[in-house]
Amino acid sequence: MNDQELLARKIVSIRNSQDMSQLELAQKANIERTALNKIEKGTRKISSDELKRIALALHQSSDDLLNINNHVKTTNAVTESSEYDLNRMIDNARFFDGKPIDDHDKDLVRGILKRIYNEK
């Protein structure tokens, strides 16, 4: 999914969460309803001016609609949370016979899982 489609989905999602019709948003943002319809379908590129007006009408920042700040914050939070969860999970891991995994094997598992996670 490209950025244009992601933006389109975000606009529709926020509009729906505010129980706002497409016509209402178009009127508040001073955009033709047919143009907004195409933007929401992802078939028409949005101008910076239209993005600003839609963001204001939805009480959002343009950055939020574009996921600029959220991506950085979310990525950092997920990384820290994932690191904590990974360490906790590995520290509690056991071999098939129920014996604890030694530190060497924990480091091997941790390295493998981090490589898999970072490849995504």
Side-chain angles (χ1 to χ4, degrees):
M1 185 175 310
N2 65 35
D3 289 340
Q4 187 173 322
E5 292 168 329
L6 289 172
L7 175 60
R9 284 187 178 198
K10 182 110 184 212
I11 291 170
V12 171
S13 175
I14 294 170
R15 179 176 61 74
N16 287 335
S17 74
Q18 295 181 11
D19 293 322
M20 189 183 303
S21 71
Q22 197 175 64
L23 179 60
E24 289 173 304
L25 177 57
Q27 289 171 341
K28 287 182 179 185
N30 196 26
I31 297 173
E32 292 291 325
R33 193 200 60 76
T34 54
L36 179 61
N37 181 272
K38 291 176 183 178
I39 290 168
E40 287 188 349
K41 287 182 177 180
T43 59
R44 179 183 176 280
K45 290 187 177 184
I46 187 170
S47 73
S48 58
D49 187 52
E50 290 168 330
L51 176 64
K52 180 180 174 182
R53 291 187 310 216
I54 290 171
L56 288 171
L58 293 172
H59 307 289
Q60 303 286 314
S61 72
S62 299
D63 286 355
D64 287 340
L65 289 180
L66 296 170
N67 285 325
I68 291 172
N69 292 329
N70 288 345
H71 178 69
V72 172
K73 289 177 187 173
T74 303
T75 300
N76 290 340
V78 167
T79 301
E80 290 170 11
S81 175
S82 298
E83 185 77 26
Y84 172 78
D85 289 343
L86 176 65
N87 288 330
R88 201 173 97 218
M89 182 175 46
I90 291 173
D91 287 342
N92 294 321
R94 304 261 185 243
F95 284 110
F96 289 112
D97 61 3
K99 294 179 184 172
I101 297 176
D102 61 43
D103 289 338
H104 177 264
D105 287 336
K106 285 180 185 179
D107 288 339
L108 289 174
V109 170
R110 186 176 287 111
I112 291 167
L113 292 175
K114 281 184 177 181
R115 280 193 297 277
I116 291 170
Y117 178 75
N118 289 331
E119 287 177 5
K120 290 184 178 181

